[in-house]
Amino acid sequence: MDAEAGVGGADQLPWRQHYRNLLLLAYQSFGVVYGDLSTSPLYVYKSTFSGRLRRYQDEQTVFGVLSLIFWTFTLVPLLKYVAIVLSADDNGEGGPFALYSLLCRHAKLSLLPNQQAADEELSTYYRNGFAPRHGSLPWLRRFMEKHKKARTVLLLIVLCGASMVIGDGILTPAISVLSSMSGLKVRATGLQDRSVVLLSCIVLVGLFALQHRGTQKVAFMFAPIVIIWLFCIGGIGLYNIIHWNPRIYQALSPYYNVKFFRTTGKDGWIALGGILLSMTGSEAMFADLGHFTSASVRLAFITIIYPCLILQYMGQAAFLSKNIFDMPTSFYDSIPGPVFWPVFVVATLAAVVGSQAVISATFSIVKQCHSLGCFPRVKVVHTSRWIYGQIYIPEINWILMVLCVAVTVAFRDITLIGNAYGVACMTVMFVTTFLMALIVIFVWQKNIIFALSFFLLFGSVEAVYLSSSLMKVTQGGWVPLVLAFIFMSVMYIWHYGTRRKYQFDLQNKVSMRYILSLGPSLGIVRVPGIGLIYTELVTGVPSIFTHFVTNLPAFHEVLVFLCVKSVPVPYVPPDERYLVGRIGPRAYRMYRCIVRYGYKDVQRDDDNFENMLVMNIAKFIMMEAEDASSSASYDIANEGRMAVITTDDYGTPLAVRDFDGLADSMTTRSSKSESLRSLQSSYEQESPSVSRRRRVRFELAEEDDMDQQVKDELSALVEAKHAGVAYIMGHSYIKARKSSSFLKKFTIDVGYSFLRKNCRGPSVTLHIPHISLIEVGMIYQV
């Protein structure tokens, strides 16, 4: 019996750990995901009754507004996002670009032509249980794959959604903090508006200054605040229902929706621009999904978020039904006097947390855009050593701060900022609904009836709200449209320039027959060391190689054409990251290595990259030796064949020894002069990150049965590594052809050129040590 109890206890341990982790993630989600959604009661009623609805300030209108809020909050955040959209995660990641990457993998919708068949073999490429590219509408998939314009339109829709998320990152902090600080005017009646704006700006600057500490620390700091805030507003709402109007529950009937529009007509439709603010922040549930899990986000929403917010909206409506003239400051006026100041402090802190939700989502969206070739190179900092995917982007953080403070100072009015906020949020939601309809067809492989039902149900509701918010373009609604246009232009220009540059490289790559005609020496002097030639090509030899040897006819003994590319998956397992192949016959000592990253992977400044590269090439040499077909004479038809190198493949042909000091150069040949070695030594002393790097020495494992050719090739690789590694990269100047149209010339010569000059260089993004970098000037006529 004791033995059975022991077995039962052992079986329960994994479940206990699972639920413990689920509860921990649900707790953290309050501090990151739900801050924005939970602070909406601060300004929903004020924004709704700020326009023409002032003429209908009576109990029946308040009941109608509450009914619309209840059914909107139930239909969109609960039914659409929690029940359906959270199930469309991309291996745990959410947001418009996560949906786009799913579509690009299950149908060939990507505009970047650097995808390979080997990418489809990644374990994270397809969703479990779904066959590759066999949707319910093959004709629709063929149409979109065949027509480039259709794929371009799809990309523009995704960029529009991503741009609006960035716009949310500017408007959410402004409206949340300003609305919370305006509560001071309820008790401090002599306080002027400019003082409230100044205090709001101080809080906003402090919020953005905290971002470098990372999402995990911010979540642990802020989660208790949101939980306390939710219980406060839920309790106050319940008190107001009992104290002011217990009949308010009747407003939950859809009858009051119909009655509201019959009474108010067009004015009621325009007022929807204020009601939609009750569901702003719903997109953050999906966009921030990468920081948590769908189960934890659902648990938090259903158990605490939904009931507390519904109670608050009902309580505030109950208060307004008896105090209709307190509409401008209804939230703070509805707070019982003894608890006003504690609730005000919690409200201010909760508003800061609400801003955090969208700021985190903005960082995630920008990182996804950058990885998929739609955003200029920026610095991405991985803020957590233990939790995957939590990032901070300094440039974006400070841009958001400046624009957010500018919006706060310029408008100074919650209603105007709310109009802008509504346009941004509804656009993002509508884009998500459109992409989800395609996900149902291409990824979930359901009948088109399901996709149309989803789109018509939620799309029609969101279209009505969007049309209402667009009526207020002249009253602040123009802000997100202008911001979206700017960010969309930046994204599309960068994507277009990147694509044209890749096509130029593809069309001008060096012929393999030309390489073979040069012989093993390539017609140049081969010096000791490894030359890493960075290229965006996944096949062929880039034109930068011939451009270099034409001007300097010498190159390294071992050549590695290195391609660091992003794959449309959230992350690539380390065991599947490296693809290695050979260029030319064995005697040429030329290899190709493709290093693959997902759009959520962060390329760290890792001192093991060179060592990992050498180890993977060595494993490829061993793997190739085991393949009987590869031991035959070189066949140009096999050019482009690559092998995925995992940690278990063929053991480890090279032994690694820790090695300190620079005596290494005495036992191996080196292409570096004494002055260059002295310069490198001083560079390492001045760069702490370089000086801390682990020094290793490779040794060839003693194996009696190893083929002599394989042993010679491995020995040459080891000697070249000890002699030094040089990084060769093209410094490109991209110009439009003289025959190009004016629009293309402006896009390439002005737009793309400006972005390229003012973003981080590729060598900085790839963490290439400056002392080992060689840049080759290239002019691209696209």
Side-chain angles (χ1 to χ4, degrees), residues 426-476:
M426 291 315 305
T427 304
V428 175
M429 290 182 182
F430 192 78
V431 168
T432 299
T433 300
F434 173 75
L435 294 175
M436 272 299 303
L438 296 179
I439 290 289
V440 172
I441 296 173
F442 292 127
V443 182
W444 291 355
Q445 302 168 15
K446 302 296 183 181
N447 194 285
I448 191 174
I449 295 176
F450 292 98
L452 287 176
S453 301
F454 177 88
F455 184 75
L456 291 175
L457 174 62
F458 297 109
S460 58
V461 172
E462 290 163 356
V464 171
Y465 277 105
L466 182 60
S467 65
S468 172
S469 60
L470 288 175
M471 292 294 292
K472 301 179 180 179
V473 168
T474 58
Q475 303 169 30

Side-chain angles (χ1 to χ4, degrees), residues 474-690:
T474 58
Q475 303 169 30
W478 58 270
V479 174
L481 299 178
V482 171
L483 291 174
F485 176 77
I486 293 172
F487 283 112
M488 273 187 69
S489 300
V490 169
M491 292 179 185
Y492 188 75
I493 287 173
W494 185 263
H495 183 270
Y496 179 77
T498 302
R499 194 169 76 243
R500 297 296 298 179
K501 181 175 177 292
Y502 184 88
Q503 290 171 350
F504 180 90
D505 279 333
L506 197 63
Q507 295 166 2
N508 293 274
K509 63 183 181 181
V510 183
S511 166
M512 273 309 300
R513 298 189 184 279
Y514 171 74
I515 296 292
L516 293 175
S517 68
L518 298 177
S521 69
L522 301 178
I524 56 178
V525 178
R526 303 292 288 268
V527 297
I530 296 178
L532 295 182
I533 304 172
Y534 277 84
T535 175
E536 295 179 4
L537 293 178
V538 293
T539 59
V541 176
S543 56
I544 181 180
F545 175 71
T546 53
H547 188 67
F548 183 91
V549 297
T550 300
N551 293 278
L552 183 65
F555 227 104
H556 298 82
E557 204 167 39
V558 174
L559 295 179
V560 181
F561 292 91
L562 184 65
C563 174
V564 179
K565 78 167 189 174
S566 292
V567 187
V569 297
Y571 58 88
V572 176
D575 282 355
E576 303 175 36
R577 193 174 303 283
Y578 289 86
L579 276 173
V580 182
R582 186 186 294 280
I583 297 178
R586 188 189 301 270
Y588 282 58
R589 303 287 191 263
M590 295 169 64
Y591 310 93
R592 181 186 308 285
C593 182
I594 298 175
V595 187
R596 302 177 291 184
Y597 289 94
Y599 59 75
K600 294 290 285 186
D601 282 325
V602 176
Q603 301 175 26
R604 299 173 183 265
D605 185 6
D606 196 346
D607 59 307
N608 288 324
F609 176 74
E610 291 179 6
N611 301 330
M612 286 292 296
L613 187 65
V614 172
M615 289 296 293
N616 280 290
I617 293 174
K619 288 179 181 179
F620 167 77
I621 294 171
M622 293 292 293
M623 182 190 299
E624 190 184 46
E626 296 290 329
D627 186 2
S629 62
S630 66
S631 60
S633 59
Y634 174 75
D635 185 1
I636 195 171
N638 292 330
E639 174 62 30
R641 290 178 57 186
M642 308 286 289
V644 180
I645 310 298
T646 65
T647 54
D648 299 327
D649 285 335
Y650 301 94
T652 305
L654 300 180
V656 182
R657 301 282 183 266
D658 285 325
F659 188 82
D660 293 321
L662 297 174
D664 179 32
S665 59
M666 297 174 61
T667 57
T668 59
R669 298 178 297 158
S670 175
S671 60
K672 296 178 180 177
S673 65
E674 186 66 33
S675 58
L676 187 56
R677 286 199 295 270
S678 174
L679 183 62
Q680 181 171 8
S681 177
S682 61
Y683 171 77
E684 291 176 352
Q685 291 174 3
E686 293 174 1
S687 304
S689 60
V690 177

Side-chain angles (χ1 to χ4, degrees), residues 388-407:
Y388 188 82
Q390 295 189 356
I391 59 173
Y392 164 68
I393 304 177
E395 295 97 328
I396 298 300
N397 184 61
W398 303 124
I399 289 173
L400 291 180
M401 186 193 76
V402 171
L403 292 176
C404 183
V405 171
V407 167

